PDB file of all heavy atoms in Angstrom:
ATOM      1  N   PHE A 216      52.777  38.899 247.494  1.00  0.00           N
ATOM      2  CA  PHE A 216      53.718  38.431 246.429  1.00  0.00           C
ATOM      3  C   PHE A 216      53.386  39.168 245.151  1.00  0.00           C
ATOM      4  O   PHE A 216      54.338  39.497 244.335  1.00  0.00           O
ATOM      5  CB  PHE A 216      53.400  36.922 246.176  1.00  0.00           C
ATOM      6  CG  PHE A 216      54.066  35.861 247.138  1.00  0.00           C
ATOM      7  CD1 PHE A 216      53.392  34.953 247.726  1.00  0.00           C
ATOM      8  CD2 PHE A 216      55.386  36.052 247.435  1.00  0.00           C
ATOM      9  CE1 PHE A 216      53.965  34.028 248.560  1.00  0.00           C
ATOM     10  CE2 PHE A 216      56.042  35.150 248.240  1.00  0.00           C
ATOM     11  CZ  PHE A 216      55.374  34.202 248.932  1.00  0.00           C
ATOM     12  N   VAL A 217      52.061  39.523 244.873  1.00  0.00           N
ATOM     13  CA  VAL A 217      51.843  40.210 243.605  1.00  0.00           C
ATOM     14  C   VAL A 217      52.309  41.652 243.710  1.00  0.00           C
ATOM     15  O   VAL A 217      52.862  42.156 242.702  1.00  0.00           O
ATOM     16  CB  VAL A 217      50.319  40.114 243.433  1.00  0.00           C
ATOM     17  CG1 VAL A 217      49.940  41.111 242.251  1.00  0.00           C
ATOM     18  CG2 VAL A 217      49.824  38.783 243.051  1.00  0.00           C
ATOM     19  N   ASN A 218      52.191  42.134 244.832  1.00  0.00           N
ATOM     20  CA  ASN A 218      52.607  43.703 244.918  1.00  0.00           C
ATOM     21  C   ASN A 218      54.104  43.893 245.079  1.00  0.00           C
ATOM     22  O   ASN A 218      54.714  44.907 244.763  1.00  0.00           O
ATOM     23  CB  ASN A 218      51.845  44.349 246.034  1.00  0.00           C
ATOM     24  CG  ASN A 218      50.381  44.553 245.703  1.00  0.00           C
ATOM     25  OD1 ASN A 218      50.066  44.918 244.618  1.00  0.00           O
ATOM     26  ND2 ASN A 218      49.493  44.233 246.739  1.00  0.00           N
ATOM     27  N   GLN A 219      54.764  42.826 245.604  1.00  0.00           N
ATOM     28  CA  GLN A 219      56.182  42.956 245.912  1.00  0.00           C
ATOM     29  C   GLN A 219      57.030  42.767 244.592  1.00  0.00           C
ATOM     30  O   GLN A 219      58.058  43.222 244.416  1.00  0.00           O
ATOM     31  CB  GLN A 219      56.517  41.823 246.900  1.00  0.00           C
ATOM     32  CG  GLN A 219      58.148  41.981 247.310  1.00  0.00           C
ATOM     33  CD  GLN A 219      58.360  43.278 247.993  1.00  0.00           C
ATOM     34  OE1 GLN A 219      57.507  43.924 248.572  1.00  0.00           O
ATOM     35  NE2 GLN A 219      59.639  43.691 248.034  1.00  0.00           N
ATOM     36  N   ARG A 220      56.296  42.109 243.526  1.00  0.00           N
ATOM     37  CA  ARG A 220      56.968  41.795 242.379  1.00  0.00           C
ATOM     38  C   ARG A 220      57.558  43.004 241.628  1.00  0.00           C
ATOM     39  O   ARG A 220      56.829  44.066 241.565  1.00  0.00           O
ATOM     40  CB  ARG A 220      55.985  41.141 241.522  1.00  0.00           C
ATOM     41  CG  ARG A 220      56.606  40.377 240.326  1.00  0.00           C
ATOM     42  CD  ARG A 220      55.526  39.443 239.655  1.00  0.00           C
ATOM     43  NE  ARG A 220      56.278  38.379 239.056  1.00  0.00           N
ATOM     44  CZ  ARG A 220      56.747  37.349 239.493  1.00  0.00           C
ATOM     45  NH1 ARG A 220      56.366  37.132 240.731  1.00  0.00           N
ATOM     46  NH2 ARG A 220      57.498  36.474 238.831  1.00  0.00           N
ATOM     47  N   GLY A 221      58.772  42.980 241.376  1.00  0.00           N
ATOM     48  CA  GLY A 221      59.297  44.149 240.564  1.00  0.00           C
ATOM     49  C   GLY A 221      59.871  45.189 241.474  1.00  0.00           C
ATOM     50  O   GLY A 221      60.458  46.290 241.115  1.00  0.00           O
ATOM     51  N   LYS A 222      59.861  44.865 242.861  1.00  0.00           N
ATOM     52  CA  LYS A 222      60.385  45.926 243.925  1.00  0.00           C
ATOM     53  C   LYS A 222      61.577  45.197 244.566  1.00  0.00           C
ATOM     54  O   LYS A 222      61.607  44.000 244.696  1.00  0.00           O
ATOM     55  CB  LYS A 222      59.459  46.158 244.919  1.00  0.00           C
ATOM     56  CG  LYS A 222      58.220  46.967 244.543  1.00  0.00           C
ATOM     57  CD  LYS A 222      57.298  47.230 245.733  1.00  0.00           C
ATOM     58  CE  LYS A 222      55.872  47.748 245.336  1.00  0.00           C
ATOM     59  NZ  LYS A 222      54.984  47.596 246.413  1.00  0.00           N
ATOM     60  N   ASP A 223      62.551  46.081 244.934  1.00  0.00           N
ATOM     61  CA  ASP A 223      63.647  45.481 245.546  1.00  0.00           C
ATOM     62  C   ASP A 223      64.208  44.216 245.078  1.00  0.00           C
ATOM     63  O   ASP A 223      64.351  43.220 245.674  1.00  0.00           O
ATOM     64  CB  ASP A 223      63.304  45.267 247.108  1.00  0.00           C
ATOM     65  CG  ASP A 223      62.721  46.441 247.734  1.00  0.00           C
ATOM     66  OD1 ASP A 223      63.006  47.530 247.406  1.00  0.00           O
ATOM     67  OD2 ASP A 223      61.807  46.256 248.701  1.00  0.00           O
ATOM     68  N   ASN A 224      64.533  44.341 243.705  1.00  0.00           N
ATOM     69  CA  ASN A 224      64.906  43.144 242.986  1.00  0.00           C
ATOM     70  C   ASN A 224      66.250  42.511 243.227  1.00  0.00           C
ATOM     71  O   ASN A 224      66.672  41.542 242.660  1.00  0.00           O
ATOM     72  CB  ASN A 224      64.857  43.382 241.584  1.00  0.00           C
ATOM     73  CG  ASN A 224      63.357  43.700 241.186  1.00  0.00           C
ATOM     74  OD1 ASN A 224      62.410  43.100 241.647  1.00  0.00           O
ATOM     75  ND2 ASN A 224      63.218  44.762 240.211  1.00  0.00           N
ATOM     76  N   ASP A 225      67.086  43.257 244.103  1.00  0.00           N
ATOM     77  CA  ASP A 225      68.557  42.733 244.237  1.00  0.00           C
ATOM     78  C   ASP A 225      68.581  41.247 244.670  1.00  0.00           C
ATOM     79  O   ASP A 225      69.434  40.586 244.178  1.00  0.00           O
ATOM     80  CB  ASP A 225      69.208  43.664 245.163  1.00  0.00           C
ATOM     81  CG  ASP A 225      69.566  45.002 244.636  1.00  0.00           C
ATOM     82  OD1 ASP A 225      69.207  45.245 243.264  1.00  0.00           O
ATOM     83  OD2 ASP A 225      70.111  45.751 245.248  1.00  0.00           O
ATOM     84  N   PHE A 226      67.649  40.927 245.639  1.00  0.00           N
ATOM     85  CA  PHE A 226      67.810  39.532 246.149  1.00  0.00           C
ATOM     86  C   PHE A 226      67.611  38.561 244.941  1.00  0.00           C
ATOM     87  O   PHE A 226      68.172  37.503 244.922  1.00  0.00           O
ATOM     88  CB  PHE A 226      66.567  39.288 247.022  1.00  0.00           C
ATOM     89  CG  PHE A 226      65.170  38.959 246.409  1.00  0.00           C
ATOM     90  CD1 PHE A 226      64.961  37.589 246.215  1.00  0.00           C
ATOM     91  CD2 PHE A 226      64.379  39.934 245.966  1.00  0.00           C
ATOM     92  CE1 PHE A 226      63.623  37.268 245.596  1.00  0.00           C
ATOM     93  CE2 PHE A 226      63.194  39.561 245.258  1.00  0.00           C
ATOM     94  CZ  PHE A 226      62.852  38.306 245.047  1.00  0.00           C
ATOM     95  N   PHE A 227      66.844  39.066 243.885  1.00  0.00           N
ATOM     96  CA  PHE A 227      66.588  38.144 242.776  1.00  0.00           C
ATOM     97  C   PHE A 227      67.726  38.266 241.680  1.00  0.00           C
ATOM     98  O   PHE A 227      68.143  37.073 241.328  1.00  0.00           O
ATOM     99  CB  PHE A 227      65.237  38.795 242.210  1.00  0.00           C
ATOM    100  CG  PHE A 227      64.500  37.869 241.358  1.00  0.00           C
ATOM    101  CD1 PHE A 227      63.653  36.846 241.830  1.00  0.00           C
ATOM    102  CD2 PHE A 227      64.473  38.005 239.972  1.00  0.00           C
ATOM    103  CE1 PHE A 227      62.819  36.088 241.158  1.00  0.00           C
ATOM    104  CE2 PHE A 227      63.667  37.251 239.215  1.00  0.00           C
ATOM    105  CZ  PHE A 227      62.938  36.268 239.760  1.00  0.00           C
ATOM    106  N   THR A 228      68.120  39.348 241.408  1.00  0.00           N
ATOM    107  CA  THR A 228      69.227  39.437 240.320  1.00  0.00           C
ATOM    108  C   THR A 228      70.551  38.972 240.870  1.00  0.00           C
ATOM    109  O   THR A 228      71.342  38.690 240.047  1.00  0.00           O
ATOM    110  CB  THR A 228      69.173  40.909 239.768  1.00  0.00           C
ATOM    111  OG1 THR A 228      69.375  41.745 240.952  1.00  0.00           O
ATOM    112  CG2 THR A 228      67.868  41.178 239.032  1.00  0.00           C
ATOM    113  N   ASN A 229      70.703  38.924 242.164  1.00  0.00           N
ATOM    114  CA  ASN A 229      71.962  38.470 242.704  1.00  0.00           C
ATOM    115  C   ASN A 229      72.043  36.967 242.951  1.00  0.00           C
ATOM    116  O   ASN A 229      73.003  36.386 243.243  1.00  0.00           O
ATOM    117  CB  ASN A 229      72.253  39.182 243.972  1.00  0.00           C
ATOM    118  CG  ASN A 229      72.517  40.613 243.903  1.00  0.00           C
ATOM    119  OD1 ASN A 229      73.093  40.952 242.809  1.00  0.00           O
ATOM    120  ND2 ASN A 229      72.264  41.394 244.888  1.00  0.00           N
ATOM    121  N   GLU A 230      70.929  36.255 242.716  1.00  0.00           N
ATOM    122  CA  GLU A 230      70.908  34.824 242.714  1.00  0.00           C
ATOM    123  C   GLU A 230      71.826  34.174 241.791  1.00  0.00           C
ATOM    124  O   GLU A 230      71.845  34.715 240.643  1.00  0.00           O
ATOM    125  CB  GLU A 230      69.459  34.290 242.612  1.00  0.00           C
ATOM    126  CG  GLU A 230      68.664  34.544 243.874  1.00  0.00           C
ATOM    127  CD  GLU A 230      67.200  34.113 243.688  1.00  0.00           C
ATOM    128  OE1 GLU A 230      66.778  33.695 242.653  1.00  0.00           O
ATOM    129  OE2 GLU A 230      66.464  34.291 244.740  1.00  0.00           O
ATOM    130  N   LYS A 231      72.438  33.050 242.142  1.00  0.00           N
ATOM    131  CA  LYS A 231      73.269  32.420 241.243  1.00  0.00           C
ATOM    132  C   LYS A 231      72.542  31.971 239.867  1.00  0.00           C
ATOM    133  O   LYS A 231      73.053  32.083 238.747  1.00  0.00           O
ATOM    134  CB  LYS A 231      73.921  31.117 241.823  1.00  0.00           C
ATOM    135  CG  LYS A 231      75.152  31.387 242.628  1.00  0.00           C
ATOM    136  CD  LYS A 231      75.843  30.215 242.994  1.00  0.00           C
ATOM    137  CE  LYS A 231      76.744  30.332 244.126  1.00  0.00           C
ATOM    138  NZ  LYS A 231      76.899  29.213 244.957  1.00  0.00           N
ATOM    139  N   THR A 232      71.352  31.468 240.096  1.00  0.00           N
ATOM    140  CA  THR A 232      70.676  30.937 239.013  1.00  0.00           C
ATOM    141  C   THR A 232      70.242  32.024 237.998  1.00  0.00           C
ATOM    142  O   THR A 232      70.225  31.969 236.865  1.00  0.00           O
ATOM    143  CB  THR A 232      69.472  30.020 239.204  1.00  0.00           C
ATOM    144  OG1 THR A 232      68.628  30.878 240.265  1.00  0.00           O
ATOM    145  CG2 THR A 232      69.813  28.797 240.000  1.00  0.00           C
TER     146      THR A 232
END
Side-chain angles (χ1 to χ4, degrees):
Chain A
F216 281 132
V217 168
N218 288 320
Q219 187 63 23
R220 198 164 204 87
K222 288 183 197 162
D223 307 332
N224 294 320
D225 285 357
F226 84 93
F227 200 73
T228 51
N229 290 332
E230 287 178 356
K231 271 191 202 154
T232 51

